Amino acid sequence: MVQAQSRGGSRGDPASLGGTSSTDLNVVYDSGGGPPAKRKTLLSNAVLGTMIFILTEIMLFGGLVSAFLIGKSMASFGWPPPGQPRLPIENTAFNTLALLLSGVALFVAHRRITDAPATAKSPLWAAILLGTFFTVSQGYEWVGLIAEGLTLTSSVHGAFFYLIVGAHALHVMVALGFLISCGLQVNQGAVELNRFHATEAFWYFVVGIWPVLYGLVYLS
Amino acid sequence: MAEHAGEAAHGHDGHHEMSFWSKYVFSTDHKIIGMQYMFTGMAMALIGGFMAYVFRMQLAFPGEAVPGFGGVSPADYNSLITNHGTIMIFWVAMPVLIAGFGNFLIPLMIGCDDMVFPKINRLSYQIFLLSAIVLIVSFFVQGGGFGGAWTAYPPLSAKAEYSLTPLGSTLWLVAVALEFVAFLLGGINFVTTTMNSRAPGMKMYDIPMVIWMIVVASILFMASVGPLIAGAVMLFMDQNVGTGFFDPGKGGDPILWQHLFWFFGHPEVYVVLLPAMGIVADIMTVFSRKKLFAYRTVLYTVFGTGVLSFTVWAHHQFIAGVDPRMAHIFTITTLLISVPIAEMCFVYIATLYGGSIQLSTPMLWALAFLAEFLIGGVTGIFLGASGADVYFHDTYFVLAHFHYTFFPIAIIGVFAGITYWFPKMFGRHLSEFWGKVHFWGTIVAFNCIFIPLFMLGAAGQHRRIYNYNHFPDLATPELQRLRVIATSALLVMLAFQAVFLINFFYSLFKGKKAEKNPYNANTLEWTAASPPPHGNWAELPRVYRGPYEYSHPDRDTDYWPQNEPN
C-alpha cells in the first residue's frame, strides 16, 4: 500500500520519491557495502543482453532465408537443380526430433534449477547429450552428401545448403559449449542462475529456428 | 595523449594506482573506451578527409600531380572514393556518434558507474581497432585497396578479374565485418545498460533524449545488420571459395546483394542520424533555457521512424531492374519517412521559439545542423520519387544530397557534441573565439563545396568518373569551373580543421579549467566532477524529475537539476 502511494505521487513532486527511499518499487537496499540503492530489473543483464543478441541472430537467419528463397525462385531448372543429390529428409527429421527433445529437457531443468539445483542435473545433461547427438549426426550426413557430390561449388543449391545449415551448426556448437559449462557448474553445485538463464534463452533460439530451416531447406 | 588530462583529477579514493597500459589502453572504464573510439574516429576522419582532397584535386585538375600524393591513376581514384565513403560512414560516423558519445554519455547521463558488461565493452573497442588496422592495411596490399564503391555491388566486388584487387576487396570485407561485430557488442551494452542501470527514480520518460536516440539507433543497427552479415559471408565465399551466390552464370543473383546491403544500408542512415539529433536536442534546450518541446512526441516519432526505416531500402534500386509496381510502394514509404523527420525539425524549432537563445559554439553547431540537414532532407524528396530518380540516379545530385545529410550528422553533429561536452570530458574549456572561427570557416566552405555539386548533378554529371575530359558533354568550361569551385572550397574547409585541432589540443592542456556545471544544465553528467573520476560519482545520484526542466516558473534559478530533491 505504501508502495502504491509512493508511485502515485505527482511527477516531480519531491515527496513522492524523496521520502520513500526504502519503499519505492524501484529501489532495494543492499545491506552490504555496495552502492546504496539498486534498481530492480525485469530481466537480468545477462538475459537482456542475450535477448538483444538473439534479435540480431533472428535477423541474420532472416537474411539467409530470404536470400535462399530468392535464389530458389531464380532456379530455371527446378529445385534442387538436376544432377544434385537428394537431401536426407528422414534422417534429418529424426535429428530434428532429438534437438526438439533437448529443448524440452532443458525446460524441465529450468523448472527444477531454482528450487533444487541438484535435481536439474539429469535433464540438463540429457539436453546436452541430445544436442551433441544432433550435431554429430548432422555432421555425419554432411560427409555422405559431400561424397555424393553436393559441395559449396557444385551449385547454388549446395552453397545455400551448407551456408544455412552450417551457420546453424556453428550456433549449436557455441551454445553447446555454454550448456556444458552450465552442466559442469550444476555438477559442482554452484550454478550461476543468470548465466544459466542466458544460455537457456540462446538454446531455445537455436532449437526453435531449426524446424523453420528444416522446413525451408529440406522439405521445400 | 589526450587522456592525460584526466590524470590530474584521478585521485579518487578507493581506486589503486594503475599503470599507463591498464588505465588507458586496456581500460574497462566507459569514459576511456568512449575516448578511444572518439580519437580513433578522428584519426580515421583525417585519413578520409585526405582521400577526399586527393580525388577532388584530380577532378578539378585532371591528370596533374596532387601535392602530397602524386599522380592519381584510375585504380587509385576508385580505391580513394570507395574508401572515403567506407571510412566516413563505418569508421567515423558510427564510432564517434554511437560508440564514442554512447560510451561516454550513457553511464554519466543515466547515473551509473559503468556499462553493465565492461569487459565486452573493452573487447568491442579492440575489435574495432583491429578492423581499422585491417582496412588501412588493405590500401597497401598487391593491387591496392578495394575500388568497387562502398556499396560493393557484385560482380565488381565478387570477382578479382573485374575489381583487379584480389586481396584488397577481401580485406575490405573482413574489416567491415569485424567493425559490425564491434558495434554489435557495443550495442548490446548500450541497450542493456540503459534499461537496467538507470539511477533510482529515473523513469523511462526521464531519460535524456540523446540517450534514447543512441539506444534506438543501437536497436536499429542490431536489427538491420543481420542480413548484411549474411550477405557479407556470401560475398566472402564468392570471392574466396568459388560459390556463385551473386553470379548469374552459376545460378545466383547480383541484385540479391543490393537487397541485403540496402536492407542494412538505409536503416544505417537513421542509425547515425538519431544520435546526432539527440545531441542537438540536448544542446538546444540548454542554450535556449527551455524545456524540450513535446518530449513524448519526439520519442514516439523516433520509434516510428525506426520502424519505417526498414521499409524504404529499395529506393536505392529504382533503376536496378526492380518491378515498377514495387518502385511505387517504395516511393510512398520513402516520402512517408520524411514526415516524422520533418516533424522533429519543427519540434526543435518550437523548442527554440521564445527561448533566451545563447549563441555559444555548440549552439551554433546545433542550429547549423538543423539548417543544413533540412537541405539534405528536402533534396531527398526528388530522389525518393521513382520518376525523378530515373534521371537523378547516380549523378552528383545524389552525392550532394547525401553529403547534405551525412555532413550535418557526422561532422556538424559531432562538433556540436564535442564542443558541448569538452569541459566534461577533459575538465577544461575550448576557446569560444577560435571555436566560432572554425564554425564559420567550416559551414560556409561546406555549402560552397556541395551547392556546385547539386548544379553539376542536375546538369547530368555522373558519379564515379575518373576524368570528365573523356566525356565531351561534361567537359565544358562552365561545368569545369563548378568543379574547381567545389575543390577550392574543400581546401578552405580542410584548412579550417587545423583551427579546430589546434584549439582542441591547446585547450586539452592549457584551456581554462571547467567547473562541474559550466552551462547550468540539468542532466546528471553535470553533477559529476569534470572530468569524472573512475566510477563517476562517490555516491551514485538519484533522480527526481525529467531532464529538461529549464526556466520553471516556481524556481529562482532557471534550471532544475535532475538529482535535486527540490
Side-chain angles (χ1 to χ4, degrees):
Chain A
M1 197 55 224
V2 180
Q3 287 171 346
Q5 280 169 353
S6 83
R7 299 294 291 176
S10 72
R11 188 180 151 79
D13 175 5
S16 72
L17 283 166
T20 55
S21 45
S22 61
T23 50
D24 190 307
L25 268 184
N26 268 340
V27 181
V28 286
Y29 274 89
D30 251 352
S31 51
K38 252 184 167 170
R39 172 172 280 275
K40 211 182 237 172
T41 54
L42 198 61
L43 293 169
S44 74
N45 294 339
V47 175
L48 181 59
T50 308
M51 305 255 275
I52 297 165
F53 183 63
I54 290 173
L55 168 74
T56 310
E57 294 281 24
I58 289 173
M59 292 306 287
L60 170 72
F61 280 98
L64 289 172
V65 163
S66 356
F68 168 82
L69 290 175
I70 291 176
K72 195 175 112 179
S73 71
M74 299 279 293
S76 9
F77 302 106
W79 192 267
Q84 289 287 293
R86 186 177 159 278
L87 296 175
I89 293 173
E90 300 80 9
N91 287 353
T92 309
F94 186 71
N95 294 343
T96 306
L97 190 68
L99 191 64
L100 291 175
L101 282 177
S102 104
V104 175
L106 191 62
F107 183 68
V108 174
H110 166 86
R111 295 290 294 270
R112 296 183 184 174
I113 201 151
T114 325
D115 299 328
T119 59
K121 199 155 112 186
S122 43
L124 182 52
W125 282 101
I128 293 169
L129 282 180
L130 285 163
T132 312
F133 168 78
F134 171 83
T135 320
V136 173
S137 178
Q138 288 287 104
Y140 182 73
E141 274 178 17
W142 276 31
V143 177
L145 283 169
I146 292 170
E148 285 175 44
L150 186 74
T151 64
L152 272 173
T153 47
S154 69
S155 69
V156 182
H157 178 245
F160 272 117
F161 173 78
Y162 288 111
L163 177 69
I164 296 177
V165 179
H168 183 259
L170 210 60
H171 284 81
V172 174
M173 287 190 270
V174 171
L176 269 178
F178 281 106
L179 269 185
I180 289 170
S181 80
C182 286
L184 293 175
Q185 282 189 342
V186 172
N187 281 2
Q188 290 162 355
V191 66
E192 287 173 71
L193 276 183
N194 283 340
R195 184 199 182 95
F196 175 80
H197 290 315
T199 306
E200 200 189 344
F202 195 64
W203 188 253
Y204 290 150
F205 159 72
V206 164
V207 171
I209 198 138
W210 175 251
V212 179
L213 301 179
Y214 173 71
L216 279 167
V217 176
Y218 286 79
L219 298 184
S220 67
Chain B
M1 173 158 55
E3 289 86 344
H4 283 301
E7 204 158 21
H10 195 280
H12 191 60
D13 54 318
H15 296 285
H16 51 86
E17 278 307 306
M18 291 184 284
S19 73
F20 173 84
W21 287 94
S22 60
K23 198 191 274 179
Y24 298 121
V25 181
F26 297 107
S27 173
T28 53
D29 183 1
H30 70 98
K31 298 182 289 296
I32 300 291
I33 293 171
M35 300 290 171
Q36 288 173 332
Y37 266 115
M38 210 169 279
F39 280 93
T40 316
M42 276 164 68
M44 293 303 275
L46 292 177
I47 298 175
F50 177 76
M51 289 173 159
Y53 152 78
V54 175
F55 64 69
R56 277 311 314 174
M57 289 296 278
Q58 158 67 20
L59 290 173
F61 312 105
E64 289 176 36
V66 177
F69 186 83
V72 183
S73 72
D76 288 340
Y77 181 82
N78 286 341
S79 171
L80 285 167
I81 57 164
T82 300
N83 287 294
H84 167 76
T86 313
I87 285 178
M88 287 307 193
I89 290 176
F90 292 134
W91 277 273
V92 178
M94 298 217 19
V96 177
L97 276 168
I98 301 203
F101 283 114
N103 268 308
F104 186 82
L105 294 178
I106 288 177
L108 277 170
M109 290 183 99
I110 65 171
C112 64
D113 53 354
D114 207 333
M115 290 284 174
V116 291
F117 307 118
K119 284 184 182 155
I120 290 183
N121 210 15
R122 177 177 62 184
L123 181 66
S124 153
Y125 174 73
Q126 287 167 343
I127 295 176
F128 171 74
L129 184 64
L130 180 67
S131 76
I133 292 168
V134 171
L135 186 77
I136 290 170
V137 165
S138 81
F139 308 155
F140 301 104
V141 296
Q142 200 182 5
F146 176 53
W150 82 281
T151 50
Y153 284 1
L156 203 51
S157 56
K159 290 198 161 187
E161 57 261 46
Y162 299 148
S163 68
L164 303 177
T165 55
L167 204 47
S169 33
T170 299
L171 285 177
W172 179 90
L173 197 58
V174 169
V176 172
L178 282 174
E179 203 255 6
F180 291 158
V181 173
F183 285 119
L184 206 56
L185 298 176
I188 291 172
N189 244 322
F190 294 166
V191 181
T192 314
T193 305
T194 309
M195 290 304 123
N196 278 1
S197 293
R198 295 194 307 280
M202 183 179 269
K203 298 189 223 73
M204 285 292 187
Y205 293 119
D206 298 335
I207 302 174
M209 200 42 89
V210 61
I211 302 301
W212 262 125
M213 298 233 189
I214 291 174
V215 166
V216 174
S218 301
I219 295 173
L220 285 185
F221 174 78
M222 286 184 290
S224 63
V225 79
L228 183 57
I229 291 178
V233 172
M234 289 155 72
L235 188 57
F236 183 89
M237 288 165 78
D238 272 16
Q239 286 174 348
N240 298 298
V241 185
T243 54
F245 291 115
F246 303 123
D247 182 352
K250 294 179 182 167
D253 179 10
I255 303 293
L256 173 60
W257 166 265
Q258 299 188 16
H259 285 294
L260 294 173
F261 182 88
W262 287 116
F263 185 82
F264 162 80
H266 208 85
E268 167 72 9
V269 174
Y270 298 92
V271 168
V272 288
L273 167 65
L274 293 180
M277 289 233 119
I279 289 170
V280 167
D282 270 55
I283 291 173
M284 279 184 171
T285 51
V286 170
F287 291 109
S288 59
R289 314 306 295 170
K290 268 190 71 187
K291 205 169 175 149
L292 179 68
F293 188 85
Y295 176 100
R296 293 188 186 203
T297 310
V298 174
L299 191 56
Y300 301 147
T301 308
V302 170
F303 293 145
T305 311
V307 173
L308 258 185
S309 75
F310 284 92
T311 64
V312 300
W313 80 90
H315 66 217
H316 296 270
Q317 299 160 251
F318 283 154
I319 65 155
V322 300
D323 192 313
R325 287 164 297 184
M326 199 67 141
H328 287 317
I329 295 170
F330 281 98
T331 294
I332 291 166
T333 55
T334 304
L335 299 189
L336 266 183
I337 203 168
S338 60
V339 174
I341 297 295
E343 182 205 307
M344 277 158 74
C345 291
F346 283 124
V347 164
Y348 286 7
I349 293 168
T351 303
L352 295 170
Y353 181 77
S356 31
I357 290 172
Q358 186 190 338
L359 289 177
S360 61
T361 314
M363 184 63 162
L364 284 175
W365 286 113
L367 294 171
F369 172 89
L370 205 56
E372 304 289 2
F373 187 80
L374 270 176
I375 300 178
V378 167
T379 50
I381 307 278
F382 298 95
L383 301 171
S386 58
D389 188 61
V390 171
Y391 176 73
F392 283 126
H393 185 87
D394 249 358
T395 65
Y396 266 62
F397 192 89
V398 177
L399 184 144
H401 153 71
F402 71 72
H403 278 87
Y404 259 102
T405 59
F406 269 107
F407 189 91
I409 293 168
I411 309 292
I412 298 181
V414 166
F415 279 136
I418 288 182
T419 49
Y420 178 63
W421 278 292
F422 190 89
K424 187 52 60 187
M425 288 173 175
F426 304 109
R428 290 175 187 275
H429 283 286
L430 283 167
S431 155
E432 275 287 303
F433 174 77
W434 290 110
K436 283 175 184 161
V437 169
H438 170 233
F439 169 79
W440 287 110
T442 306
I443 288 296
V444 173
F446 161 68
N447 286 290
C448 295
I449 300 172
F450 289 103
I451 288 175
L453 297 190
F454 272 126
M455 293 152 79
L456 283 167
Q461 176 174 307
H462 209 266
R463 294 168 70 188
R464 297 170 182 144
I465 303 289
Y466 163 63
N467 183 342
Y468 289 100
N469 288 340
H470 301 147
F471 297 84
D473 290 337
L474 295 174
T476 61
E478 295 78 30
L479 296 184
Q480 191 59 30
R481 197 179 309 129
L482 290 172
R483 285 178 208 126
V484 175
I485 292 173
T487 300
S488 317
L490 175 75
L491 295 179
V492 172
M493 192 178 87
L494 289 177
F496 269 97
Q497 303 320 301
V499 175
F500 171 75
L501 288 174
I502 294 169
N503 186 7
F504 186 91
F505 285 106
Y506 179 83
S507 307
L508 210 53
F509 301 107
K510 297 273 169 64
K512 189 160 73 75
K513 285 252 190 231
E515 62 271 40
K516 265 189 180 179
N517 191 357
Y519 308 119
N520 292 340
N522 284 346
T523 38
L524 289 178
E525 82 270 28
W526 301 106
T527 64
S530 298
H534 193 78
N536 298 342
W537 288 276
E539 194 182 340
L540 291 177
R542 310 190 55 196
V543 169
Y544 300 92
R545 67 189 58 77
Y548 300 117
E549 299 295 329
Y550 292 104
S551 305
H552 196 281
D554 303 340
R555 299 265 302 171
D556 296 336
T557 52
D558 67 350
Y559 67 113
W560 200 358
Q562 282 188 282
N563 67 325
E564 272 185 19
N566 47 50

